[in-house]
Amino acid sequence: MTTQTTEMISQQVIELASNLSDIPPDQIWLDSQFATDLGLDSLDLAEFVMMVEDKFEIAVPDKEVETIKTVRDAVQAIQKLRV
């Protein structure tokens, strides 16, 4: 596993969120909320989590998924799960 900086992880998460939401990456911030700002519903969020699991080679427990509301939440979860 390679060590990635918070900035690198953030950029990758923003790219994934952009692909799913059709919102350009430069219009997505760490505090962007998946539901209200990006328009993702629960099925979209489930797909996003699967994309994150594949991209970062991690397994995100359901309990953790429930806490992911913003891009920053996703980045922090990835960092915690990759330790």
Side-chain angles (χ1 to χ4, degrees), residues 5-66:
T5 66
T6 300
E7 184 177 335
M8 291 168 61
I9 294 170
S10 299
Q11 289 173 346
Q12 291 173 324
V13 170
I14 287 171
E15 284 293 327
L16 292 174
S18 173
N19 291 340
L20 201 54
S21 66
D22 292 328
I23 295 175
D26 63 352
Q27 293 179 18
I28 299 176
W29 296 271
L30 286 174
D31 292 326
S32 295
Q33 295 187 10
F34 291 110
T36 55
D37 298 327
L38 305 181
L40 302 183
D41 61 20
S42 58
L43 291 176
D44 293 327
L45 188 55
E47 183 176 349
F48 174 78
V49 169
M50 289 189 298
M51 292 166 65
V52 164
E53 289 176 326
D54 289 343
K55 177 79 174 173
F56 294 98
E57 299 177 351
I58 59 173
V60 182
D62 291 341
K63 182 176 143 187
E64 190 74 33
V65 171
E66 295 170 7

